[in-house]
Amino acid sequence: MKFIKKILRNNYNSVTDARPNQTGLLIPKEALEESLDLNFDKVKKAFGNSNDIITQTIQLNEADPIQIGVIYINGLISPSSIQTMLSENLKVDSSEFPFNALRNSMSILGQVREITDFETLYQSILSGLTVILMNGYVQGLAANTQGGEYRSVEEPTTQSVVRGPREGFTELISTNTSLIRRKIKDPNLWMESMTIGRVSKTEVAIMYLNGIVNEKLVEEARIRLGRIDIDAVFESGNIEELIQDETFTPFPTLYNTERPDVIAAGIMEGRIAILVDGTPFVLMAPALFTQFYQSAEDYYQRADFATLLRLLRYVCFFISLLAPSLYIAITTFHQELLPASLLISLAAQREGIPFPAFIEAVVMEITFEILREAGVRLPKTVGQAVSIVGALVIGQAAVEAGLVSPAMVIIVAITAISNFVIPSFNMGITIRILRFLLMLIAASFGLFGVTVGLIAIVLHLCSLRSFGIPYMSPMAPFILADQKDTIFRFPQWALYARPRLISQKNNIRENNASSNKPETKP
């Protein structure tokens, strides 16, 4: 037995497994010690003798006394799994090699992996695993006993629907992957995991549907994620900033959502999902401009209802983007465009107003932005009341004080309400940024400046790409077959093909589509 231990010890010490440090030099991994007490001391010292590091010593067999050590972090493991492991599974057959017998007895716990160095040991217990060490051996086992307190599956708060599933992602990546697999019960739904963050060691996963996804898209995602070298990743927004195509653009080039049905639908179209442990928001790529104006509810309602709602969202997009700038341009430079009665009414309202229309709009827009942020940060019980009452009181007081005109209050109010219609919060922020730029241009050059600003925005949108896919497709480049699910939403029986530029193979998702068309009876 001592001869076997010596051979194992020499083999593990001679392994050239090493990791690069921040300077690029290779640092050999420190192998485990034979002494159980020495291993315990090194673990406690590495964690600064923290109280939540639990170490236990257990005697396996009375006839052939073998000591094993159990190491885990309190709060990251499931107490029931630990109790089951200690009471039933840590049994060693004396006729078998002790370490192999221990590994076989723990196989009931599911995923059990072997560890040989302290770096892997630290990573295992920090991930919620329980490490089992055997006295006299330089090997250990890491058992999957993850648990602790996690937020349960709840209804999404950022993308609520009237009709549709009510479940949303949580902060636990294993729960999120299971929610997606419940939607797509196919073995071709593949997942690749990696760890990003030198300190945080955050688990990141890529999910895609093999046979439908473009392999170049998956490879591009691997390359971009593999290039990330950062201390910590706490949210998918950290990943988004590091892998997006364009940095200096107000438009989001990656889509994020906390709805499993939206991610599942995107995967079925040939997109990839990027899941980050610790956040309920999952990234999806590639993202198109039209995708930010679509809601999951569009596919659960009738096609005519969904089309009407989409048209309403695009109308609200233009109102939210252009209403203040058009008002400023027309009342300042192009009064001849207004009917005489309306012009007289606006002139009467502005009589005695000390500021030009641009200053009015800027003051009211900034005031509303302050109220909106205050409503978000305040407690939910008082947040809505403060924002609504604050807007009414400030608006009425400003009109009575003669600081702004009633028409400007109406313009700012309809602009803010239209911004809330946009399903994507990211795109709403983009519109708020561009609105101020267009207001400045309108105050300087009138409608001519607004037109030039719109042309510049369109040119910028046409230059963007998301993981190599044109951001404005299928409108630029124009793809006639994909117009069935862009501005309009055709019936389900007509949506038999996947988007052309996203899925390069297996484009047909509905066989015998014509037979699924409802029959029209006289």
Side-chain angles (χ1 to χ4, degrees):
M1 184 65 66
K2 292 183 178 179
F3 177 70
I4 296 176
K5 294 179 184 178
K6 185 176 181 180
I7 292 176
L8 290 173
R9 180 66 177 178
N10 293 335
N11 287 338
Y12 288 122
N13 285 337
S14 62
V15 171
T16 58
D17 188 11
R19 59 182 176 86
N21 65 353
Q22 296 183 5
T23 60
L25 300 178
L26 294 179
I27 301 178
K29 293 182 178 180
E30 184 180 2
L32 297 176
E33 301 289 345
E34 290 184 3
S35 173
L36 189 59
D37 294 334
L38 193 56
N39 289 327
F40 280 175
D41 292 339
K42 286 191 175 184
V43 171
K44 292 179 179 179
K45 183 178 179 181
F47 285 89
N49 293 318
S50 302
N51 295 330
D52 58 345
I53 305 297
I54 307 301
T55 57
Q56 296 180 4
T57 303
I58 301 174
Q59 196 85 8
L60 282 183
N61 298 331
E62 297 180 358
D64 184 15
I66 301 177
Q67 284 188 340
I68 68 167
V70 181
I71 308 175
Y72 60 89
I73 296 180
N74 188 25
L76 296 183
I77 54 90
S78 172
S80 58
S81 299
I82 290 290
Q83 185 177 3
T84 301
M85 180 182 66
L86 296 179
S87 60
E88 298 181 5
N89 299 311
L90 293 184
K91 300 177 182 179
V92 174
D93 187 359
S94 59
S95 63
E96 198 174 356
F97 188 67
F99 186 81
N100 293 338
L102 178 63
R103 179 170 48 196
N104 294 335
S105 66
M106 292 177 58
S107 60
I108 192 174
L109 293 176
Q111 184 179 0
V112 178
R113 60 174 179 170
E114 186 175 323
I115 59 176
T116 60
D117 57 85
F118 280 99
E119 183 178 347
T120 309
L121 186 150
Y122 299 151
Q123 182 61 33
S124 298
I125 61 176
L126 287 170
S127 300
L129 307 181
T130 298
V131 173
I132 310 297
L133 302 177
M134 183 174 289
N135 192 34
Y137 293 87
V138 292
Q139 298 165 284
L141 298 173
N144 186 5
T145 57
Q146 290 178 328
E149 297 296 330
Y150 295 100
R151 186 170 64 93
S152 60
V153 177
E154 300 173 354
E155 182 178 356
T157 57
T158 58
Q159 296 175 331
S160 58
V161 295
V162 177
R163 180 177 181 178
R166 303 292 181 179
E167 58 186 7
F169 289 122
T170 68
E171 285 74 15
L172 190 61
I173 191 172
S174 59
T175 302
N176 296 340
T177 56
S178 65
L179 290 173
I180 298 176
R181 289 197 178 275
R182 289 178 185 175
K183 301 290 184 183
I184 306 177
K185 301 180 179 67
D186 194 299
N188 288 317
L189 180 59
W190 290 4
M191 183 179 75
E192 301 179 12
S193 299
M194 63 190 71
T195 302
I196 299 179
R198 294 190 299 267
V199 179
S200 65
K201 300 293 193 300
T202 305
E203 183 180 359
V204 178
I206 305 174
M207 295 191 74
Y208 55 90
L209 200 57
N210 183 46
I212 293 179
V213 70
N214 188 349
E215 286 81 2
K216 294 181 180 179
L217 179 62
V218 179
E219 183 62 25
E220 182 67 21
R222 293 195 197 103
I223 294 174
R224 295 190 185 189
L225 291 173
R227 285 200 302 255
I228 298 177
D229 186 12
I230 193 172
D231 286 342
V233 173
F234 298 124
E235 217 277 336
S236 57
N238 303 139
I239 299 290
E240 181 178 357
E241 286 193 68
L242 296 172
I243 65 174
Q244 61 186 357
D245 291 67
E246 296 288 340
T247 301
F248 301 103
T249 176
F251 293 94
T253 54
L254 284 175
Y255 188 81
N256 69 82
T257 179
E258 54 179 338
R259 296 189 60 88
D261 56 333
V262 174
I263 294 296
I267 292 176
M268 292 296 298
E269 289 183 344
R271 292 180 168 91
I272 62 172
I274 302 175
L275 299 90
V276 181
D277 191 27
T279 175
F281 289 92
V282 176
L283 302 177
M284 186 163 58
L288 307 180
F289 177 79
T290 57
Q291 185 179 350
F292 293 92
Y293 296 91
Q294 299 174 358
S295 173
E297 195 175 7
D298 294 350
Y299 302 94
Y300 307 140
Q301 300 281 6
R302 286 176 41 177
D304 49 356
F305 294 166
T307 300
L308 179 62
L309 292 176
R310 284 190 182 179
L311 292 175
L312 179 63
R313 293 187 197 115
Y314 283 105
V315 171
C316 291
F317 162 72
F318 286 105
I319 292 176
S320 178
L321 181 66
L322 297 174
S325 57
L326 290 178
Y327 178 82
I328 293 171
I330 292 175
T331 57
T332 305
F333 297 100
H334 310 282
Q335 296 89 347
E336 68 277 3
L337 296 178
L338 298 175
S341 58
L342 179 58
L343 180 60
I344 295 173
S345 176
L346 291 177
Q349 293 179 20
R350 290 193 49 79
E351 184 178 1
I353 302 297
F355 306 111
F358 173 69
I359 300 299
E360 278 188 86
V362 170
V363 170
M364 291 302 298
E365 285 289 345
I366 293 178
T367 302
F368 190 84
E369 293 296 332
I370 294 174
L371 291 172
R372 172 156 38 190
E373 286 300 311
V376 172
R377 309 304 170 195
L378 286 172
K380 293 183 179 180
T381 54
V382 297
Q384 293 183 352
V386 169
S387 61
I388 295 174
V389 173
L392 293 175
V393 171
I394 292 177
Q396 183 66 26
V399 172
E400 293 180 356
L403 298 178
V404 296
S405 62
M408 180 59 70
V409 175
I410 296 175
I411 292 295
V412 172
I414 191 63
T415 300
I417 295 173
S418 300
N419 191 266
F420 289 129
V421 178
I422 308 301
S424 174
F425 181 75
N426 285 2
M427 187 59 71
I429 296 177
T430 299
I431 296 173
R432 289 155 63 181
I433 296 173
L434 295 177
R435 184 192 308 152
F436 283 96
L437 295 177
L438 289 176
M439 287 166 54
L440 178 62
I441 296 175
S444 303
F445 304 102
L447 289 179
F448 175 76
V450 174
T451 304
V452 173
L454 286 177
I455 294 174
I457 292 174
V458 172
L459 291 176
H460 177 68
L461 286 171
C462 292
S463 68
L464 294 178
R465 288 180 175 267
S466 178
F467 276 71
I469 304 299
Y471 192 59
M472 290 300 293
S473 63
M475 294 186 291
F478 185 80
I479 303 175
L480 181 61
D482 290 346
Q483 301 303 316
K484 299 177 181 179
D485 191 20
T486 305
I487 298 178
F488 303 96
R489 208 277 277 175
F490 279 41
Q492 288 288 347
W493 54 265
L495 305 178
Y496 56 85
R498 295 185 177 87
R500 294 287 182 90
L501 292 181
I502 297 177
S503 180
Q504 301 293 330
K505 57 184 179 180
N506 195 5
N507 289 329
I508 304 301
R509 56 182 171 187
E510 182 180 355
N511 293 326
N512 299 323
S514 59
S515 63
N516 294 331
K517 181 179 179 180
E519 296 182 1
T520 303
K521 296 183 180 180

